[in-house]
Structures are given as structure tokens and as C-alpha cells.
Amino acid sequence: MELRSVEELMDLLYACRGAWDTPDLPRSRPRPSGGIPVGDPVDLHDHALQTAALLRRGRPSDKELQVAGLVHDIGHLLRPGDDAGHADRAADAIRGLLGERVSRLVRLRVAAERYLATTSPGRGLSGQSAPAPRVQGGAMTPAEAAWFEREPLAEDAITLRQADDAARVAGLDAGVLEDWRTVLELVATQHSPLGAVD
């Protein structure tokens, strides 16, 4: 699916309300054997708003990075249950509308997660993110890590990944989705061949 307008994207983002990347585990709870909680404490809608808000706070002039944070998990709605492919699916869906950089950041977020799991294995991940590097390819080989370090957007992808990990706080007020419409329209106008902002 390729999104052709900001209105289509907004509809998809609104559909994230009440949707979870792990529908069978809708709330964070401890594993039966103890250890890291499984499931997320927030739905995809709140997670998107929190991720974008964190990026806005840390990088206020980088609208594309903020938008990447807002849309990075829409792949979970495009094909539910496809955790391994959700980033690629989201990146493909938004490329024509939001441009190559936003699409690339969304796609690289998984590589950034694997890279961080490789270079900082003791760093904390949210309950849902902890098993994700295994599902999405495991720790990087030295050659893969060297490739990622040469990637021009590696630093931005790591920033996105870190915001993604931190944006899972139940009850946090991160604003409302409608506040992002103008930012989405701005990015779409700058990067879409169609300039689609309907």
C-alpha cells in the first residue's frame, strides 16, 4: 500500500488508537517466570505521539526526523502480525508522500536497534523491544556494524531508535495527533512529487 495524501496517513494514524503491535499482549505485564515485562503499556497511537514529541524536544528543527518518529510503526496496521517486516512496509508506504529521508529513517530504525544491541548489549530496552533484535535478524556481524556506521543517516536512525524505546510511558500527555497535521503537510509538500496534502 502506498499512501497518497496526508489525509490517508492521518486516517491510518488515527486507526492506531487502541491498536497494539502485540495484540495478544495489550498491556505491559511481567513474564510469568519474572524478568522483563512483555507487551507495551501504550497503544500505537500514544506511542507515535510520544516518539514524535521526544524527537521534537531533542531536535526541534528536524521536521523529517519528527515525522519519522510519528509514522515509524504504521506497518503494524498495514500487515498485522508481521513484526519482522513492519518497518519495511511502513517505509514503502510513506516514501512517495514524505520523501526518501523519512522513508529511509523508518527502514533504518531496525538496523539501528540491531546495531545498538550489538554495540551496547547491556542497554535497557522496553519490554516489547527486548526480543525484537532476534525477530528482526539478531545482533549484527562485524561487517554489518561497519556498514551501518558508514550509513549517512546512522546517527539520526539511532536517535529515532532511542526515542522509540523511551516513548512507552502510560498516561503521558504527548499532545494530540491533529497537532501534527501541519508538519505532515509541510514535509509532504517539500518531498512528494504530487505535493499531496488533501
Side-chain angles (χ1 to χ4, degrees), residues 158-182:
I158 287 171
T159 299
L160 172 57
R161 179 67 240 173
Q162 290 168 332
D164 183 8
D165 282 342
R168 300 173 191 276
V169 181
L172 178 68
D173 182 3
V176 296
L177 183 56
E178 203 57 41
D179 292 343
W180 287 94
R181 183 182 295 271
T182 303

Side-chain angles (χ1 to χ4, degrees), residues 18-27 29 39-40 44 76 80-82 128:
W20 304 83
D21 57 0
T22 52
D24 56 328
L25 300 169
R27 294 201 181 3
R29 56 185 180 233
D40 273 333
L44 292 173
H76 286 296
D82 181 17
Q128 177 54 31

Side-chain angles (χ1 to χ4, degrees), residues 56-75:
R56 178 183 275 171
R57 186 176 310 128
R59 302 272 289 278
S61 64
D62 194 342
K63 303 300 184 209
E64 291 178 338
L65 181 60
Q66 296 163 27
V67 164
L70 186 68
V71 304
H72 74 276
D73 268 344
I74 62 170

Side-chain angles (χ1 to χ4, degrees), residues 2 4-5 9 21 23 28 45 47 81 85 92 98 108 113 127 135 148-149 160-163 165-166 188 193 197:
E2 183 178 337
R4 299 197 178 275
S5 71
L9 178 54
D21 57 0
S28 182
H45 174 269
H47 176 60
D92 291 343
L98 299 176
L108 283 171
E113 182 174 13
V135 171
F148 183 76
E149 290 166 354
L160 172 57
R161 179 67 240 173
Q162 290 168 332
D165 282 342
V197 295

Side-chain angles (χ1 to χ4, degrees), residues 5-6 10 15 19-20 32-33 50 57 73 77 80-81 85 87 97 99-100 110 113-114 118 121 134 137 152 168 174:
S5 71
V6 168
M10 288 292 290
W20 304 83
S33 62
Q50 288 182 26
R57 186 176 310 128
D73 268 344
L77 267 66
L97 180 64
E100 186 60 36
V110 172
E113 182 174 13
R114 293 182 61 217
T118 302
R134 288 188 307 275
R168 300 173 191 276

Side-chain angles (χ1 to χ4, degrees), residues 15 28 47 49 56 71 78 88 105 116 119 130 135 148 155 163 166 196:
S28 182
H47 176 60
L49 290 175
R56 178 183 275 171
V71 304
L78 297 173
D88 289 338
L105 285 169
L116 289 170
T119 59
V135 171
F148 183 76
E155 184 179 322

